[in-house]
Amino acid sequence: GNSVTQMEGPVTLSEEAFLTINCTYTATGYPSLFWYVQYPGEGLQLLLKATKADDKGSNKGFEATYRKETTSFHLEKGSVQVSDSAVYFCALKFVQGAQKLVFGQGTRLTINP
Amino acid sequence: DSGVTQTPKHLITATGQRVTLRCSPRSGDLSVYWYQQSLDQGLQFLIQYYNGEERAKGNILERFSAQQFPDLHSELNLSSLELGDSALYFCASSASGRSYNEQFFGPGTRLTVL
């Protein structure tokens, strides 16, 4: 079946550190890939997305590149801030069929000043 | 603020009871999705409605049902509640059911079954 695997958390970094959160997927076909962020007490917000191989999604300093050969969509940011503390979810969705998002287990990120 | 509202914010009830969770989509959005976030299962898709009709079903238990009303708000009904139903239930909406439409999530309803 279709699934998403994220790096285990929690992740704790100091402000201005480099961030990588790994995400790999298993899918029959070529899904669109997403990163969502969940701040405390809030719903999920779309952070970035990529719809085909080699696409790079970017937003608020975060980037992720759709790598078909390694079935990966790792999230990166060059210099994190305290305000980036949240839970990050990698997800996939297919163009055809049910428009359901399939999520990874989430990675809790804490940034210390 | 995503524009999706969910009520109530918190719900505490006992095993065997029945509850109704409500979702109002963003203005103009026709499609509503329900997701369950639990510690053991993670975030899972339950069901999707589009303009009043069921469009897709995921891992939704038979004790759970949903509907979308003519004004496009949706309700998720959970019955014969068990301890394991304790979770955060999210509603999301999109303009249509098409792949290119972003899903906007509400803040969730936290259900605690005692």
Side-chain angles (χ1 to χ4, degrees), chain A residues 36 38 41-44 46 49 89 93-101 103-104, chain B residues 9 33 35 37 43 45 48 56 88 90 97-103 105-107:
Chain A
Y36 281 82
Q38 184 180 24
E42 297 183 16
L44 282 76
L46 179 62
K49 68 179 182 182
F89 291 90
K93 183 160 70 88
F94 284 94
V95 171
Q96 302 297 331
Q99 292 306 305
K100 64 175 185 178
L101 287 157
F103 288 94
Chain B
K9 194 164 185 174
Y33 310 77
Y35 292 86
Q37 184 180 27
L43 248 176
F45 168 76
Q48 177 198 359
L88 196 50
F90 287 109
R98 298 194 182 275
S99 62
Y100 47 80
N101 291 137
E102 179 182 343
Q103 292 181 27
F105 283 77

Side-chain angles (χ1 to χ4, degrees), chain B residues 55-70:
Chain B
R55 175 65 67 89
K57 233 174 183 175
N59 299 324
I60 187 166
L61 299 171
E62 284 198 13
R63 300 183 285 109
F64 296 1
S65 64
Q67 53 184 325
Q68 186 179 26
F69 294 87

Side-chain angles (χ1 to χ4, degrees), chain B residues 13-81:
Chain B
T13 188
T15 54
Q17 295 298 304
R18 173 189 170 93
V19 297
T20 297
L21 313 183
R22 183 188 169 105
C23 168
S24 293
R26 292 187 322 151
S27 177
D29 281 0
L30 298 178
S31 203
V32 168
Y33 310 77
W34 286 97
Y35 292 86
Q36 178 195 59
Q37 184 180 27
S38 64
L39 283 176
D40 53 345
Q41 299 288 329
L43 248 176
Q44 289 195 98
F45 168 76
L46 295 178
I47 196 163
Q48 177 198 359
Y49 277 82
Y50 174 75
N51 204 20
E53 295 191 3
E54 183 184 302
R55 175 65 67 89
K57 233 174 183 175
N59 299 324
I60 187 166
L61 299 171
E62 284 198 13
R63 300 183 285 109
F64 296 1
S65 64
Q67 53 184 325
Q68 186 179 26
F69 294 87
D71 67 352
L72 300 176
H73 91 271
S74 178
E75 292 181 357
L76 179 67
N77 300 295
L78 315 177
S79 62
S80 303
L81 285 167

